[in-house]
């Protein structure tokens, strides 16, 4: 099995799983209960490694079954440390299942399993095992935080990772140390997305870069690719806030590097994940340019994602891809003055909202409402009637129900500012000074928040729109 863990394929892992299954025919529970439990756990480990590399959930479901079987004999009172080890491994499989399924049940079970393990795996008793369980706990909390959308779970994840680093030092366990640094990058990035300034994001980039010093491509190729993805994600978020293209170009380089190892035939779901992130980075880069070449590349990347992230296989991933596709189609529609592209953006947003429901993923739901508002606003700007613009104002308002100023200030600024732009367009068509005044106030506050939060790109946009809104208000108010 260890040979299979170091290789990119699955042949040796399949052989290991078959060997453990064969062993269980002789090592029965009735004959040698503790050895039977050990073999169940080893089978679970092999199945978990297979599940990591494959689409679907079959191997992960089998892994959970094997771990739960082991716990029937490896009980806490009988073999407490082995019981804790199995709880930790169970946490890992439950987390991966939770990331592929809808709802939070599996992830909550994963957190519970890790917390139980830590009751026996204490730092003074088994320091490195304690660090292992802290890391798994951090992973489960991070995934749960991604679904819930708040910061509490993520702050807990940071604490768990920082605790693990007290024992998993670079000198003692360099690859494990790199694992935690990579995970810290993920959670600091998630927190940084919701905060003013870029301090957390800068910390995240630093954590990814040091992880890559140990997670080298020749040593651990798939982990190297994982760190490249996390680095790309963080650079992309930084690039979205900066006026220049440097960070976005760096993000694209990181994603392209990841695709050297995350190939479609080897790890199709992860390949699709890179494609959707590449779509987002190319889209943001295309937004800063006059042509459409990067936007067209972005559209192609999103459509490739949808070939693997099917709704029945990965519903939230499918919705993510639809949402990214909608954003890109909206930008293409605006650039090309194409109603067909904008209608496509509307359709993709509506598809995304079939899975991105408010009760399930409130901030993702709000993000999609915002994108829907953008498409409606751009269509409304091209029509003689006001129905689309009025709908856009309502939809932006819906987004703001979750994108609150205290929770996600920069996202709040975007929805507030874009709502102001829609109100300005509506005021122009209706010759309505009151709406124009409302537009001025909303764009003003969006500008201040974006500028204070270090979002140079959006600040420049709202400054331009504010000038237009003030001019319109002055004209309408003087009538």
């Amino acid at each position: 099995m260890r040979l299979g863990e170091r290789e990119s394929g699955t042949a040796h892992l399949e052989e290991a799983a078959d060997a453990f299954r064969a062993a269980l025919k002789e090592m029965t529970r009735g004959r040698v209960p503790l050895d039977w439990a050990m073999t169940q756990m080893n089978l679970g480990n092999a199945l978990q490694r297979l599940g990591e590399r494959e689409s679907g959930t079959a191997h992960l479901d089998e892994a959970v079954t094997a771990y739960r079987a082991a716990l029937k004999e490896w009980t806490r009172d009988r073999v407490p440390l082995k019981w804790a080890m199995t709880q930790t491994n169970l946490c890992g499989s439950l987390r991966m299942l939770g990331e592929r399924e809808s709802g939070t049940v599996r992830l909550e079970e994963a957190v519970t399993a890790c917390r139980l393990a830590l009751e026996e795996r204490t730092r003074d008793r088994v320091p490195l095992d304690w660090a292992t369980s802290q890391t798994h706990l951090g992973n489960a909390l991070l995934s749960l935080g991604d679904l819930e959308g708040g910061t509490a779970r993520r702050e807990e994840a940071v604490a768990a990772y920082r605790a693990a680093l007290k024992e998993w030092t670079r000198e003692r366990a360099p690859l494990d140390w790199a694992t935690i640094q990579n995970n810290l990058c993920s959670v600091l990035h998630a927190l940084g997305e919701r905060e003013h300034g870029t301090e957390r994001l800068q910390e995240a980039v630093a954590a990814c870069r040091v992880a890559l010093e140990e997670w080298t491509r020749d040593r651990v190729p798939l982990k190297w690719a994982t760190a490249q993805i996390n680095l790309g994600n963080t650079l992309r978020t930084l690039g979205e806030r900066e006026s220049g293209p440097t960070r976005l170009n760096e993000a694209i380089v990181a994603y392209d590097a990841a695709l050297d190892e995350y190939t479609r035939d080897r790890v199709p779901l992860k390949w699709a994940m890179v494609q959707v992130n590449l779509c987002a980075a190319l889209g943001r880069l295309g937004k800063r340019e006059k042509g459409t070449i990067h936007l067209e590349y972005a559209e192609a990347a999103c459509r490739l994602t949808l070939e693997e992230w099917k709704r029945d296989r990965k519903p939230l991933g499918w919705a993510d891809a639809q949402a990214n596709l909608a954003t890109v189609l909206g930008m293409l529609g605006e650039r090309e003055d194409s109603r067909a592209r904008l209608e496509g953006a509307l359709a993709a947003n509506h598809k995304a909202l079939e899975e991105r429901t408010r009760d399930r993923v409130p901030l993702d739901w709000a993000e999609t409402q915002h994108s829907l508002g953008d498409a409606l606003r751009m269509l409304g700007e091209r029509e003689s009637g006001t129905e689309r613009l009025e709908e856009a104002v309502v939809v932006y308002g819906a987004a703001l129900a979750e994108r609150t100023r205290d929770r996600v200030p920069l996202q709040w600024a975007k929805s507030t500012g874009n709502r102001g732009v829609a109100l300005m367009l509506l005021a122009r068509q209706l010759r309505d000074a009151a709406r124009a005044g409302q537009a001025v106030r909303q764009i003003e506050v969006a500008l201040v928040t974006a500028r204070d939060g270090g979002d140079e790109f959006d600040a420049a946009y709202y400054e331009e729109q504010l000038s237009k809104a003030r001019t319109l208000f002055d004209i309408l108010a003087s009538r």
Side-chain angles (χ1 to χ4, degrees), residues 30 33 38 81-82 140 144 149 151 196 282 350 358 380 406:
M38 179 181 67
L81 289 179
K82 289 182 178 179
L144 192 53
T151 61
H196 275 303
L282 288 164
H350 283 301
R358 185 176 181 182
D406 59 338

Side-chain angles (χ1 to χ4, degrees), residues 335-390:
R335 192 71 50 83
E336 298 171 347
D337 197 20
S338 167
R339 287 182 57 86
R341 295 278 203 184
L342 294 174
E343 293 287 358
L346 283 185
N349 274 316
H350 283 301
K351 285 181 181 179
L353 287 168
E354 292 172 13
E355 294 292 340
R356 281 185 163 189
T357 59
R358 185 176 181 182
D359 59 338
R360 191 180 193 182
V361 281
L363 284 177
D364 288 342
W365 171 85
E367 179 187 48
T368 312
Q369 293 288 352
H370 175 93
S371 179
L372 182 60
D374 285 346
L376 289 164
R377 172 176 54 80
M378 288 184 281
L379 276 168
E381 193 173 5
R382 289 157 173 77
E383 297 174 353
S384 56
T386 62
E387 183 180 352
R388 300 275 204 180
L389 291 172
E390 289 167 351

Side-chain angles (χ1 to χ4, degrees), residues 11 62 65 73 103 131 140 147 180 215 226 244 253 294 358 377 392:
E62 282 188 77
T65 299
E73 293 294 337
L147 278 183
I180 304 173
W215 273 10
T226 298
V253 169
H294 281 111
R358 185 176 181 182
R377 172 176 54 80

Side-chain angles (χ1 to χ4, degrees), residues 188-213:
L188 289 167
H189 170 234
L191 287 166
E193 284 183 305
R194 287 155 175 75
E195 296 176 352
H196 275 303
T198 61
E199 183 179 351
R200 297 265 208 178
L201 296 172
Q202 299 286 357
E203 279 187 73
V205 168
C208 269
R209 293 202 190 280
V210 296
L212 285 164
E213 292 175 10

Side-chain angles (χ1 to χ4, degrees), residues 80-349:
L81 289 179
K82 289 182 178 179
W83 170 87
M85 176 175 60
T86 310
Q87 292 285 1
T88 300
N89 292 348
L90 175 62
C91 169
S93 289
L94 288 168
R95 174 186 59 81
M96 285 184 278
L97 278 170
E99 290 171 348
R100 298 180 189 184
E101 298 175 353
S102 59
T104 62
V105 174
R106 297 279 202 175
L107 293 172
E108 288 165 356
E109 288 178 357
V111 169
T112 298
C114 274
R115 292 199 192 282
L116 285 171
L118 285 164
E119 292 177 10
E120 293 292 340
R121 281 185 155 183
T122 59
R123 185 180 179 186
D124 58 342
R125 189 180 189 183
V126 280
L128 291 180
D129 290 341
W130 170 83
T132 299
S133 294
Q134 289 285 1
T135 303
H136 279 270
L137 176 61
N139 295 345
L141 287 165
L142 174 57
S143 296
L144 192 53
D146 287 343
L147 278 183
E148 293 178 345
T151 61
R153 300 285 196 178
R154 288 166 173 150
E155 293 287 4
E156 287 182 69
V158 170
Y161 291 141
R162 295 203 191 282
L165 284 172
K166 294 175 183 177
E167 294 295 338
W168 273 7
T169 61
R170 187 172 185 177
E171 297 72 27
R172 180 189 280 176
L175 291 180
D176 293 333
W177 171 85
T179 297
I180 304 173
Q181 294 290 353
N182 175 72
N183 294 349
L184 264 177
C185 173
S186 296
V187 69
L188 289 167
H189 170 234
L191 287 166
E193 284 183 305
R194 287 155 175 75
E195 296 176 352
H196 275 303
T198 61
E199 183 179 351
R200 297 265 208 178
L201 296 172
Q202 299 286 357
E203 279 187 73
V205 168
C208 269
R209 293 202 190 280
V210 296
L212 285 164
E213 292 175 10
E214 294 292 342
W215 273 10
T216 58
R217 185 177 179 185
D218 58 343
R219 193 178 189 183
V220 280
L222 291 178
K223 289 183 177 180
W224 172 84
T226 298
Q228 292 287 357
I229 293 166
N230 283 339
L231 177 61
N233 291 344
T234 310
L235 289 166
R236 188 185 81 226
T237 301
L238 278 168
E240 288 169 359
R241 297 187 186 179
E242 296 174 356
S243 55
T246 302
R247 298 282 196 177
L248 291 172
N249 279 315
E250 288 178 7
I252 290 166
V253 169
Y255 292 138
D256 282 337
L259 287 170
D260 290 337
E261 292 295 336
Y262 273 4
T263 59
R264 187 173 184 177
D265 58 339
R266 182 189 290 173
V267 280
L269 291 182
K270 290 184 178 179
W271 171 85
M273 177 182 64
V274 184
Q275 293 291 348
V276 79
N277 289 332
L278 189 57
C279 166
L282 288 164
R284 301 302 186 278
L285 189 59
K287 190 175 182 179
R288 287 160 167 71
E289 299 172 343
K290 291 182 179 179
T292 62
I293 186 67
H294 281 111
L295 293 176
E296 289 167 2
Y297 287 153
E299 180 188 2
C302 274
R303 295 200 186 279
L304 283 172
T305 300
L306 288 165
E307 292 178 11
E308 290 294 338
W309 276 6
K310 303 292 186 182
R311 186 176 180 182
D312 58 346
R313 178 191 289 179
K314 193 174 176 66
L316 287 175
W318 172 85
D320 290 344
Q322 292 288 356
N324 276 286
L325 178 61
T327 300
V328 171
L329 289 173
M331 288 188 283
L332 277 167
E334 186 176 37
R335 192 71 50 83
E336 298 171 347
D337 197 20
S338 167
R339 287 182 57 86
R341 295 278 203 184
L342 294 174
E343 293 287 358
L346 283 185
N349 274 316

